[in-house]
Amino acid sequence: MAKFQNLFTWAVSVITLLAQAMGKKITIGANAADNDWDNAHATFYGDMGGAETMQGACGYGDLFQQGYGLETTALSTALFNNGLSCGACFEVMCVDDPQWCIPNSGTIKITATNFCPPNWDPAPDHWCNPPMKHFDLSMAMFTKLAQAKAGIIPIKYRRVPCSKKGGVKFLLKGNPFWLAVLVYNVGRAGDVTSVRIRGSKTDWLQMSRNWGQIWQIGSNMVGQSLSFQVTTSDGRTLKSDNVAPGDWQFGQTYEGKNNF
């Protein structure tokens, strides 16, 4: 047993060193949680009203209407994960910059709702280019941590559970032959990795991700009550039965009874 334990300890050490050399975090064990702080930088875009943060790359549209408000961020390529990180929640703090960090500002909690695209023009300050980990915050959130004239600040961040009120929500779009669904107000992990739909006349059907958190299927679901199965990045699945009645309408939002 002691020989096995020594071998296991050696293997863990080697794996950890390799992960550190590759610039990645690694957790070992069934109870491992993503509570480690990682380093990044943050800027802001738009003004205090946040109009420029609306209609982002996650498909949420009006962030006030969808309940996200100004507690949002755009993510660089390294964090955005081609849109699969949309809806994930983060805790952020300003660090190691006494000139600009507001004393005792603590942390902010934000939801990923947009993409900070890379800029390939030659310049030394393209913070959203791979492999940089970067948060482009709303101005309202940035100024909770630092003075606006700082422009850019060093931060520490970590993933945290999303706390949402009410059930998971489904905004139905499309036409009689193509149904698109925006899935939002998702608790816990926040980021959706799979959506299945069932009509009152169909079995469960897998939807494909169009972009951000908009999911689609090329089937005529008009006139059927709709149920959904939503799976998040932590592997949890939530079933919402008969969320939309048989007379549902395009452009309407329907709320499930439960959340993660």
Side-chain angles (χ1 to χ4, degrees):
M1 179 63 70
K3 182 177 181 180
F4 173 80
Q5 289 176 336
N6 290 337
L7 181 60
F8 177 79
T9 301
W10 174 83
V12 169
S13 300
V14 170
I15 293 171
T16 302
L17 288 172
L18 287 172
Q20 291 173 346
M22 296 172 64
K24 298 180 179 179
K25 294 184 299 181
I26 188 167
T27 52
I28 298 175
N31 297 320
D34 190 12
N35 289 323
D36 294 334
W37 292 93
D38 205 351
N39 297 313
H41 285 84
T43 50
F44 68 89
Y45 67 116
D47 56 22
M48 291 297 286
E52 293 84 353
T53 66
M54 305 295 136
Q55 309 298 328
C58 290
Y60 294 127
D62 188 328
L63 298 177
F64 292 107
Q65 183 177 345
Q66 314 301 18
Y68 296 105
L70 295 175
E71 297 176 350
T72 62
T73 186
L75 299 178
S76 64
T77 302
L79 297 172
F80 192 63
N81 195 21
N82 292 320
L84 285 174
S85 293
C86 290
C89 296
F90 298 87
E91 186 174 13
V92 173
M93 70 173 83
C94 184
V95 296
D96 302 329
D97 194 343
Q99 181 181 3
W100 300 119
C101 292
I102 297 174
N104 303 314
S105 58
T107 65
I108 59 171
K109 292 182 180 179
I110 48 177
T111 302
T113 59
N114 206 351
F115 175 50
C116 183
N119 185 338
W120 302 113
D121 293 335
D125 56 352
H126 292 329
W127 295 102
C128 288
N129 286 19
M132 304 292 286
K133 296 179 179 180
H134 191 83
F135 290 75
D136 203 13
L137 304 168
S138 68
M139 185 178 184
M141 290 296 101
F142 185 93
T143 53
K144 288 181 179 293
L145 298 176
Q147 300 177 51
K149 59 184 178 182
I152 184 168
I153 54 173
I155 62 169
K156 285 188 178 295
Y157 76 93
R158 63 181 177 181
R159 280 285 299 270
V160 293
C162 299
S163 178
K164 304 297 180 184
K165 295 180 180 179
V168 174
K169 297 181 180 181
F170 306 86
L171 173 57
L172 308 184
K173 305 179 180 183
N175 58 56
F177 305 101
W178 173 76
L179 177 63
V181 181
L182 169 64
V183 183
Y184 67 101
N185 197 52
V186 180
R188 292 185 67 90
D191 47 347
V192 176
T193 58
S194 176
V195 178
R196 301 178 73 201
I197 186 172
R198 183 180 66 190
S200 52
K201 300 177 181 178
T202 72
D203 293 327
W204 284 106
L205 304 172
Q206 182 66 47
M207 304 188 78
S208 62
R209 192 169 66 92
N210 188 316
W211 57 282
Q213 285 300 348
I214 296 179
W215 299 77
Q216 65 181 6
I217 191 167
S219 299
N220 185 354
M221 310 295 286
V222 174
Q224 302 183 56
S225 60
L226 303 178
S227 303
F228 295 93
Q229 284 184 353
V230 176
T231 302
T232 49
S233 62
D234 59 359
R236 296 173 183 266
T237 297
L238 179 71
K239 185 169 71 170
S240 299
D241 288 323
N242 301 315
V243 174
D247 60 350
W248 60 265
Q249 299 292 317
F250 293 109
Q252 296 296 311
T253 295
Y254 300 90
E255 183 175 351
K257 296 180 180 179
N258 300 307
N259 213 317
F260 288 88

